[in-house]
Amino acid sequence: MILGVLSVGFGLLVLANPVAASLAVTTLAGILFAVSGGFQIFAGFGESKLVGKVLGMALGAVMLLLGLSLLFRPLEGIISLAALVTILFAASGVARVVTSFQMRHTSFFWPMLVSGALSVLLAIFIVANFFQIAPNLLGILLGIELLFNGAGLIALSFFLRAGLSAERHTTA
């Protein structure tokens, strides 16, 4: 329950200032990419075969450079990550639309088609308004995720509480 309430609270806080949240997401992604890249380079030294060593270290270098780029140029990083998210919305939407036609004769056709079409429309809307939306996009998505996560955790806590209460009544 406490985690759910905190998640909802942080979700509201994030939605109140999505640009700052986008900056925080970009900074965190930069740190994670840089650290992962460093570990990947270190792991590449341990590879016994030359191909594995070169590929591992090259991947590590790319990850490290990506992380440093996000850390030292966070505004450009926000734009890049927003573009990536938009591409993912479009790609997943198209994939669901295509998949829906394989479900044409089932009850799952329309929900899958509508879900995919809405993702594609969302991607088109973002592209059409990209420079107005991009600085806020990551923060808004994080805020919505925190709200949904919090609501789910609160519902889970009520469910578990009701289950434990019912269990106590049946064993008493």
Side-chain angles (χ1 to χ4, degrees):
M1 175 68 88
I2 293 170
L3 288 176
V5 170
L6 284 173
S7 184
V8 167
F10 283 123
L12 293 172
L13 185 66
V14 164
L15 287 174
N17 194 349
V19 175
S22 293
L23 187 59
V25 167
T26 302
T27 302
L28 182 61
I31 291 168
L32 293 175
F33 274 117
V35 169
S36 296
F39 280 126
Q40 184 67 37
I41 291 169
F42 182 74
F45 282 113
E47 284 292 322
S48 58
K49 295 184 179 179
L50 181 64
V51 173
K53 185 178 293 230
V54 169
L55 287 176
M57 292 174 71
L59 177 62
V62 168
M63 291 172 63
L64 179 63
L65 291 173
L66 176 61
L68 293 174
S69 173
L70 292 174
L71 286 171
F72 291 114
R73 301 186 61 84
L75 297 178
E76 290 88 344
I78 288 173
I79 301 300
S80 298
L81 291 176
L84 179 63
V85 166
T86 304
I87 291 166
L88 292 174
F89 280 161
S92 68
V94 168
R96 282 191 305 249
V97 167
V98 169
T99 301
S100 74
F101 286 102
Q102 296 173 350
M103 304 174 171
R104 199 174 356 204
H105 302 293
T106 71
S107 61
F108 304 110
F109 170 72
W110 284 109
M112 184 67 79
L113 180 67
V114 169
S115 165
L118 287 175
S119 288
V120 170
L121 288 174
L122 178 60
I124 290 169
F125 176 77
I126 292 169
V127 167
N129 302 289
F130 189 75
F131 292 106
Q132 293 83 22
I133 294 175
N136 298 303
L137 183 62
L138 300 175
I140 290 170
L141 293 175
L142 175 62
I144 291 169
E145 174 59 26
L146 287 170
L147 288 175
F148 286 168
N149 182 57
L153 288 171
I154 290 169
L156 179 63
S157 73
F158 282 124
F159 171 76
L160 292 174
R161 186 176 294 157
L164 291 175
S165 176
E167 189 176 299
R168 286 187 192 132
H169 290 309
T170 59
T171 58

